[in-house]
C-alpha cells in the first residue's frame, strides 16, 4: 500500500535491493523468503521482538535522486504481487514525467505530493471504524490476519508483548487478543511458535505467581494449559482476557455473537495503540460496575464520573466521594463504603444551578427535585462542563419512557434484556372501547390485587386481634422507619447510609415491605418510567398457549399452598397473570420452577404491577441467568459457595465433598432465596436483606448455617444424614417478632424426630452471618463468579455433547469417540457463524426449547466446508456440487439448515453403509430434491413428462369412475363394514416405513448421466483410477442397453414414433461404440442406442475436461501460461483426456470408452444432436446388479474408510491455512519466472 513519505537514512542496512531505476528502488527485507542465512534469522528475530512493521510488510519502494544521500519510503507491501503492482504503476505513470525535471528537490517534492494525493483518494473510501484506529494499530491488525489466517470479520482488540512458556523455555513474542481468539506468535532464530485458541474453548483463566512462572496468566482448555508471563501491565491484560472470555461464554449460553457499540462518542484525539473495540469493552466494564453499584436498568450507560463532596444534612458534614452522571440518573457514592449513597433520577430533577463559590465551598452545584429535596455538591473540577452535560440529558429526558399507545418493548432474544429496546414486533391487543365493558380485560385497575398486596386483603378479612408485645414491636419498627424517612428522605432520592442497613437487618415492617423492596431493588425506577406497560403486557400474554404457560398452570397450585392467600382464585389468578406476563416479556427465560414460589411471596406484599417489576429486577439483574432453561446462574453461585466453603470452613468442606452434599443443598437455597426450605416469616427477613445487600447475604447465611451445624455434619456418614440435619435446622429457624399468624411449613411437617430440636432465632442467624462472614465483598463474588461461569458452561456443553452422542449412537455406526469429535467440529462451524456471519442469524439456528440434538444447525456453506474436509467421496472441483445435493437431501423440512443428527446420518451412510447403502445414497443424490433443476433442466422436463402422463391416466380413471355411479352406493355400504380393519390400516400407516430398494423411483437419462459424471469424478482421486474408469464405462454401456430394452416394453406406438425421429435426424454425429463383448449385442446397436452411449462418452469426457480446463478457458486450448502452470498436476492425473477426444490407447482392449469424433460440428452441435431421451429410464435394482458385475467397483464401495485421519486434519486446518498464506510469496515468485 502507499504510505506517507518518510525519510530513510540507511537504505541497505537490513534490506536487499531487487529492482532499481534512476528514481526508485524496490527492496526485500532480509530473512524474508528463501535463504538469508544467519543474518536473515537475526533480522527476523529482531522484527518479531521489536514489533517491526517489516514483519507485516517485508517489501518496500524507496524514492531516491542521483546525488542525494536521503531516501524516502513511499510504498510497502505484504507480498511480491502487491509491491510489483505499485512498481509497475510508478514505471508507467511517473518515470517519463520525472525525467523532464531539472532540479532534484522538485522531483522529490513532486513524488511526495503525488503519493499523498493517491493516499487522500484512498482514505475517502475507508470506513469510519478504521479511521478511529491509529495507523500502528491497523498495522498490527493486518499482521494478525496474515500470521493466523484470519478473515476480515475477525477484529483485533489489543496486542501485548509477552513470553509464552513452551515446556520450560520462554518464547518472547506477541499476544494478540481478538474478539473470538487468543493468538500468540514468536520467531526466534528460526524457531517459529504459533498458537491459536478459541475463547469458547477456554475452561479456566487464572492469574497466578509461582517460582516457575513469575506473575503469569494460565489459559486452560479441555486438552492443555498455556502459560504467558512478562507482561508490562498484567492486570490490564488479564481484565481484558476476562471480558473476552465472558463474551464467549455468553455466546455459548445465548448463541449471540459480539456486536460492537457504534454509538460510543469519538475520542477527542486518536489514542495511541488503543482500538475502538478496546474503548468499547472498557466502556462496557464501567457501565456494568456502575449499574451493579446503584441497581440501575441494563440500558443505562455511564457518561462520566468526577470527584466531589456532598453535603449531608443528617450528619452536618461534607462527605468525600464520586459523582456519576448517566443518561437518566445522577448518582453519588462515598469513598468510605456505606457512609452515604444517593440516586437522583433526572425525571425528578426540577432545578440545576451553580451556587456561589467560597473558600469553604469551592465550585458548588445545587440540584433540586420535585419533592422539595435539595442536594449540594462541591469541589467539582469542571463544574461548567458538568452543568452543560446534565442540562443536555435533562432536555432529552422524557416524562415517561413508554406510554399506552406505544409498541410493547420485550426483551426477546437480546443479550441484555431491556424494557426500552423492542426486539421483535408485537401486535397491540384490542383495547376495550366504548361498547366493551372493562371487566372483559384480563387485568384492570379495579382488581383488589391491583391496589394492594394479598396480605393486606387477607388481614382486612381476618378479625382484628391484639397481638400484644409483638404488635407493639412492629409499631416501634414502623416509627423508627418514619424517623429515618424524616431525616434521610423518602422515596427514590433517599440518602442510603449504614443506618439504613441497620434498620433493614432488624426487619422491615410488613406495612413498608413492598415499598422498600421496590426502592432497594431499583424496580421502582422501571415501574415509574413504564406506566401501563404491565396492563398491556397481560392483555397480550393471556390466552396464548405455549410451553411456558403449560408449566405455569401446572405449578400454580403448588405455590405456597399452605398460605390462605393462595387457597382461593384471587391469589391464583394474580400469580398466573404475573408469571404469564413475564414469560411473554422474556422468552429467553420464559418460566422456570422456583419462580412461582418467589413471585407468590412478592404478591403478598406488593400489587400485581409491583410484583411484576420486582420479578424483572430479580431475573434480569439481581439473579442473572438463575431462571433460564439450564439454571446456569444458580449453578455458578453453587460453585462460588463451594469455593467460599473451602476458604472459610476447610475441614468441613473436605468432609462434605466426600459426601457430595454441598451441590445438593445449595441449589434450592439459592433458587428460592431460602423460601422453600425455611419457615415463611423467617425466610422473608432474608429476602429483606437480599434486596438491600444483594446475593452476598445469601452466601453469608448459607455459610453461617454450615458453621452452626459443623460438629454434627462432621460426624455424618452419608449424604442422607447430612441432608436431614440441615433440613431440621432450617425448619426450626423462627421469627419471634412476626405479627402475622403462623403459617405451617410443609417441609417441617414432613420431618420427624424423637424430640423437637431447639428453635433458632432468625435475627441471631443473620447477626452471626455478618459477624463471621461479613467481610465478603461484591467485587470478590463477581470475580469468583467469572471463574465458576467458565467451568459451569463448559461442563454443560460437555453434558450436552454426551446427551447428543447417547441419543444418536444407536442410529449411527460411528464410535462414541468419533461422534463426540464430529459434534465438536459441527458445533465449531455453528459457533463460527455467530461471529463470522452467515446467510441466517445465529438466533434462527438456535432454539433452546428443542432437544440438545436439534439445537445447533448449519447452513449449506458450512456443510460444504465440513463435507469437503470429512467426506470420503472427494470429487475435486465437483465436491461442492455433491455437497449441495446431499444437503438438499438431508434438509427434510426445507428450511435451509440441518441439525447434527441429519449431518451424522449423511456421513454414516458414506462411511459405514454396505455397498447397497452407499449406492442407494448416491442414487438418491441424482434424483429430486437432491438434484436441483439448474443442474439438470432436462431432468425436470422428463419428470414433468411422466407426471403429465400420470395425470392423464388419473383423469381417465376418474372419467371411467363417473360412468359407474350406479355402483357407488353399494361401495359406500361396504366401507362401513369393519372399523377394526380401518384401525389396523391406520396403525400400519403410522408405523415408520423402512425404505427398501423397491421404493426408489426410476432414474431418467439425464439423471443417469449426472450419476456417471459423479462416479467418474470420485474415482479420479483413487489409486486404481484406470480400472475404475474401465469398470464404470462397462456398467454405463450395459445400463444404456437395459434402458433401451425396457423402453420397448413400456412405450406405446405413438411415443415411440415421435422419439425415434431424433436419432434418425442426425445419423452422422453419433459416435461409434465398441462393446466389451462380441456377438449379438454388436448387431443390436442401432443409431438410437449409439446416440445414448455417445452421451455417456461425452459426459465422462466433459467431466475430465472440467477438471483440467477452467470454465472460462477457450475450447481451442490456447490458455495462458499461468493457468497451465497452476493446473499442470491436474492434467497429468487425467492424461487420458485431450480437448477434443477421449483416447483409449492406454486403457485395456475391452474398454467401451472411445473418442467422440472431433471433426465436423462443434461441441454444441454434438450436444444437440445427442439429446437425452425423456422416455428412457432404469431402476435402482438394475444399477445395483450391473455394479456388482465389476470387482473393481465392488472393492471400491466395500472398502472401509477411516474418518479419524480426516477429523485430525480438520482440527489442524487453521495451521495449514497459515502455511499457505506464508508461502504465497514463493508461489508468486515461481509464477513470475
Amino acid at each position: 500500500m502507499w504510505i506517507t513519505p518518510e525519510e530513510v537514512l540507511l537504505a541497505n542496512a537490513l534490506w536487499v535491493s531487487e529492482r532499481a531505476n534512476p528514481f526508485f528502488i524496490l527492496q526485500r527485507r532480509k530473512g524474508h523468503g528463501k535463504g538469508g542465512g544467519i543474518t536473515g534469522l537475526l533480522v527476523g528475530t529482531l522484527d518479531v521482538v521489536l514489533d517491526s512493521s517489516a514483519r507485516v510488510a517485508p517489501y518496500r519502494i524507496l524514492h531516491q535522486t542521483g546525488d542525494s544521500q536521503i531516501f524516502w519510503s513511499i510504498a510497502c507491501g505484504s507480498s511480491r504481487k502487491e509491491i510489483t503492482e505499485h512498481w509497475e504503476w510508478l514505471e508507467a505513470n511517473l518515470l517519463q514525467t520525472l525525467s523532464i525535471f531539472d532540479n532534484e528537490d522538485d522531483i522529490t517534492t513532486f513524488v511526495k505530493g503525488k503519493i499523498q494525493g493517491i493516499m487522500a483518494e484512498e482514505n475517502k473510501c475507508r470506513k469510519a471504524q478504521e479511521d478511529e484506529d491509529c495507523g500502528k494499530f491497523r498495522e498490527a491488525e493486518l499482521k494478525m490476519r496474515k500470521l493466523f489466517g484470519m478473515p476480515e470479520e475477525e477484529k483485533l482488540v489489543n496486542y501485548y508483548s509477552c513470553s509464552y512458556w513452551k515446556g520450560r523455555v520462554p518464547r518472547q513474542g506477541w499476544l494478540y487478543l481478538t474478539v473470538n481468539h487468543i493468538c500468540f506468535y514468536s520467531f526466534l532464530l528460526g524457531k517459529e511458535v504459533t498458537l491459536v485458541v478459541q475463547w469458547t474453548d477456554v475452561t479456566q483463566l487464572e492469574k497466578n505467581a509461582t517460582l516457575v512462572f513469575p506473575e503469569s496468566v494460565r489459559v486452560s482448555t479441555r486438552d492443555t494449559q498455556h502459560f504467558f508471563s512478562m507482561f508490562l501491565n498484567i492486570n490490564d491484560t488479564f481484565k481484558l482476557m476476562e471480558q473476552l472470555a465472558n463474551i464467549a461464554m455468553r455466546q455459548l449460553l445465548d448463541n449471540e455473537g459480539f456486536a460492537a457499540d457504534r454509538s460510543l462518542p469519538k475520542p477527542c484525539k486518536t489514542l495511541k495503540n488503543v482500538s475502538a473495540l478496546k474503548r468499547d469493552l472498557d466502556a462496557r466494564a464501567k457501565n456494568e460496575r456502575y449499574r451493579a453499584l446503584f441497581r440501575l436498568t441494563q440500558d443505562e450507560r455511564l457518561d462520566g464520573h468526577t470527584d466531589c463532596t456532598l453535603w449531608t444534612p443528617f450528619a452536618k458534614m461534607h462527605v468525600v466521594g464520586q459523582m456519576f452522571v448517566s443518561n437518566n440518573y445522577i448518582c453519588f457514592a462515598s469513598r468510605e463504603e456505606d457512609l452515604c449513597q444517593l440516586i437522583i433520577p433526572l425525571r425528578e430533577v426540577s432545578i440545576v444551578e451553580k451556587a456561589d463559590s467560597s473558600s469553604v465551598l469551592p465550585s458548588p452545584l445545587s440540584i433540586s427535585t420535585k419533592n422539595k429535596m435539595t442536594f449540594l455538591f462541591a469541589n467539582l473540577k469542571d463544574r461548567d462542563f458538568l452543568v452543560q452535560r446534565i442540562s443536555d440529558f435533562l432536555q432529552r429526558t422524557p416524562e415517561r419512557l413508554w406510554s399506552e399507545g406505544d409498541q410493547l418493548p420485550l426483551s426477546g432474544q437480546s443479550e441484555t434484556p431491556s424494557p426500552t429496546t423492542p426486539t421483535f414486533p408485537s401486535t397491540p391487543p384490542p383495547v376495550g372501547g366504548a361498547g366493551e365493558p372493562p371487566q372483559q380485560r384480563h387485568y384492570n385497575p379495579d382488581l383488589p390485587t391491583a391496589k394492594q398486596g394479598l396480605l393486606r386483603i387477607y388481614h382486612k378479612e381476618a378479625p382484628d386481634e391484639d397481638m400484644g408485645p409483638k404488635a407493639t414491636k412492629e409499631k416501634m419498627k414502623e416509627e423508627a422507619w418514619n424517623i429515618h424517612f424524616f431525616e434521610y428522605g423518602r422515596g427514590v432520592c433517599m440518602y442510603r447510609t449504614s443506618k439504613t442497613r441497620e434498620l433493614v437487618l432488624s426487619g422491615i415492617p410488613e406495612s413498608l415491605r413492598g415499598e422498600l423492596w421496590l426502592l432497594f431493588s431499583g424496580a421502582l425506577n422501571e415501574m415509574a418510567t413504564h406506566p401501563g406497560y404491565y396492563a398491556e403486557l397481560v392483555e397480550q400474554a393471556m390466552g396464548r398457549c405455549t410451553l411456558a404457560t403449560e408449566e405455569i398452570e401446572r405449578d400454580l397450585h403448588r405455590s405456597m399452598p399452605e398460605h390462605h392467600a393462595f387457597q382461593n382464585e384471587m391469589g391464583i389468578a394474580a400469580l398466573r397473570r404475573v408469571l404469564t406476563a413475564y414469560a411473554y416479556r422474556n422468552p429467553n427465560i420464559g418460566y422456570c420452577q422456583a419462580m412461582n414460589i418467589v413471585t407468590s411471596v412478592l404478591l403478598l406484599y406488593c400489587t400485581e404491577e409491583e410484583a411484576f417489576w420486582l420479578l424483572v429486577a430479580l431475573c434480569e439483574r439481581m439473579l442473572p441467568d438463575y431462571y433460564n432453561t439450564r439454571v446456569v446462574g444458580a449453578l455458578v453461585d453453587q460453585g462460588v459457595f463451594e469455593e467460599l466453603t473451602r476458604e472459610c470452613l476447610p475441614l468441613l468442606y473436605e468432609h462434605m465433598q466426600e459426601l457430595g452434599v454441598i451441590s445438593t443443598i445449595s441449589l434450592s437455597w439459592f433458587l428460592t432465596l431460602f423460601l422453600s426450605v425455611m419457615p415463611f416469616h423467617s425466610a422473608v427477613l432474608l429476602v429483606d436483606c437480599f434486596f438491600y445487600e444483594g446475593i452476598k447475604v445469601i452466601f453469608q447465611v448459607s455459610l453461617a448455617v454450615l458453621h452452626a451445624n459443623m460438629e454434627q455434619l462432621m460426624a455424618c456418614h452419608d449424604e442422607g444424614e447430612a441432608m436431614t440435619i440441615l433440613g431440621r435446622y432450617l425448619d426450626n429457624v423462627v421469627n419471634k417478632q412476626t405479627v402475622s399468624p403462623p403459617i405451617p411449613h410443609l417441609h417441617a411437617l414432613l420431618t420427624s424426630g424423637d424430640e423437637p430440636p431447639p428453635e433458632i432465632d432468625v435475627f441471631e442467624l443473620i447477626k452471626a452471618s455478618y459477624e463471621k462472614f461479613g467481610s465478603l465483598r461484591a467485587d470478590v463474588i463477581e470475580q469468583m463468579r467469572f471463574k465458576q461461569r467458565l467451568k459451569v458452561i463448559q461442563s454443560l456443553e460437555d453434558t450436552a455433547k454426551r446427551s447428543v452422542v447417547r441419543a444418536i449412537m444407536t442410529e449411527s455406526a460411528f464410535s462414541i469417540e468419533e461422534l463426540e469429535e464430529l459434534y465438536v467440529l459441527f458445533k465449531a462451524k455453528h459457533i463460527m457463524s455467530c461471529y463470522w456471519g452467515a446467510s441466517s442469524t445465529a438466533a434462527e439456528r438456535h432454539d433452546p426449547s428443542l432437544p440438545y440434538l436439534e439445537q445447533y444447525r448449519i447452513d449449506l456453506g458450512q456443510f460444504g466446508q465440513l463435507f469437503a474436509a470429512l467426506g470420503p467421496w472427494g470429487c475435486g472441483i465437483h465436491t461442492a456440487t455433491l455437497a449441495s445435493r446431499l444437503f438438499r437431501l438431508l434438509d427434510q423440512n426445507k428450511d435451509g439448515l440441518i441439525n447434527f443428527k441429519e449431518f451424522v446420518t449423511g456421513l454414516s451412510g458414506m462411511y459405514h453403509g454396505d455397498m447397497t447403502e452407499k449406492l442407494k445414497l448416491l442414487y438418491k443424490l441424482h434424483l429430486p430434491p437432491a438434484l436441483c433443476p439448474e443442474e439438470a433442466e432436462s431432468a425436470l422436463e422428463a419428470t414433468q413428462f411422466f407426471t403429465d402422463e400420470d395425470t392423464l391416466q388419473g383423469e381417465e380413471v376418474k372419467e371411467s369412475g363417473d360412468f359407474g355411479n350406479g355402483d357407488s352406493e353399494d361401495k359406500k355400504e361396504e366401507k362401513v363394514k369393519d372399523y377394526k380393519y380401518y384401525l389396523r390400516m391406520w396403525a400400519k400407516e403410522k408405523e415408520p416405513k423402512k425404505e427398501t430398494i423397491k421404493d426408489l423411483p426410476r432414474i431418467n437419462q439425464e439423471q443417469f448421466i449426472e450419476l456417471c459424471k459423479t462416479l467418474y469424478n470420485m474415482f479420479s482421486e483413487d489409486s486404481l483410477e484406470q480400472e475404475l474408469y474401465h469398470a464404470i464405462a462397462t456398467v454405463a454401456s450395459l445400463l444404456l442397453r437395459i434402458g433401451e430394452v425396457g423402453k420397448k416394453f413400456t412405450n406405446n406406438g405413438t411415443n415411440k414414433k415421435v422419439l425415434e425421429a431424433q436419432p434418425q435426424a442426425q445419423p452422422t454425429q453419433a459416435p461409434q461404440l465398441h462393446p466389451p463383448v462380441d456377438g449379438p449385442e454388436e448387431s443390436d446397436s442401432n443409431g438410437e442406442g449409439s446416440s445414448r452411449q455417445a452421451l455417456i462418452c461425452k459426459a465422462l469426457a466433459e467431466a475430465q475436461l472440467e477438471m483440467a480446463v477452467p470454465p472460462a478457458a477457450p475450447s481451442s486450448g490456447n490458455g495462458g501460461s499461468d493457468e497451465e502452470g497452476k493446473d499442470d498436476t491436474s492434467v497429468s492425473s487425467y492424461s487420458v483426456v485431450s480437448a477434443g477426444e477421449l483416447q483409449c490407447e492406454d486403457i485395456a482392449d475391452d474398454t467401451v470408452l472411445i473418442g467422440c469424433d472431433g471433426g465436423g460440428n462443434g461441441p454444441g452441435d454434438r450436444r444437440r444432436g445427442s439429446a437425452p431421451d425423456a422416455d428412457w429410464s432404469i431402476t435402482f435394482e438394475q444399477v445395483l446388479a450391473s455394479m456388482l458385475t465389476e470387482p473393481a467397483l465392488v472393492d471400491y464401495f466395500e472398502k472401509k474408510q477411516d474418518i479419524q485421519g480426516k477429523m485430525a486434519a480438520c482440527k489442524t486446518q487453521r495451521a495449514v491455512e497459515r502455511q499457505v498464506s506464508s508461502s504465497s510469496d514463493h508461489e508468486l515468485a515461481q509464477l513470475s519466472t
Side-chain angles (χ1 to χ4, degrees), residues 19-33:
R19 293 189 189 181
N21 60 39
F23 303 104
F24 302 104
I25 303 173
L26 190 154
Q27 295 186 323
R28 173 178 55 83
R29 186 74 165 180
K30 286 183 179 176
H32 182 79

Side-chain angles (χ1 to χ4, degrees), residues 495-522:
Y495 292 98
R496 305 174 195 206
T497 66
S498 52
K499 176 71 174 171
T500 316
R501 173 190 278 177
E502 289 172 14
L503 285 173
V504 171
L505 293 184
S506 53
I508 297 176
E510 289 192 352
S511 58
L512 296 173
R513 188 161 270 148
E515 176 190 340
L516 293 174
W517 281 0
L518 281 167
L519 175 65
F520 296 143
S521 66

Side-chain angles (χ1 to χ4, degrees), residues 5 362 564 647 1008:
H564 291 291
E647 290 177 9
F1008 175 64

Side-chain angles (χ1 to χ4, degrees), residues 212-257:
V212 183
F213 302 116
E215 205 174 28
S216 62
V217 173
R218 181 176 68 177
V219 180
S220 304
T221 63
R222 289 179 178 82
D223 307 318
T224 184
Q225 294 181 339
H226 307 284
F227 291 89
F228 303 92
S229 65
M230 296 177 71
F231 291 94
L232 289 175
N233 191 334
I234 192 169
N235 292 326
D236 284 354
T237 310
F238 187 70
K239 278 181 187 174
L240 180 58
M241 292 171 87
E242 279 187 326
Q243 263 189 297
L244 292 169
N246 248 330
I247 290 169
M249 292 307 106
R250 178 59 55 189
Q251 196 179 89
L252 286 175
L253 192 59
D254 294 340
N255 227 254
E256 285 291 332

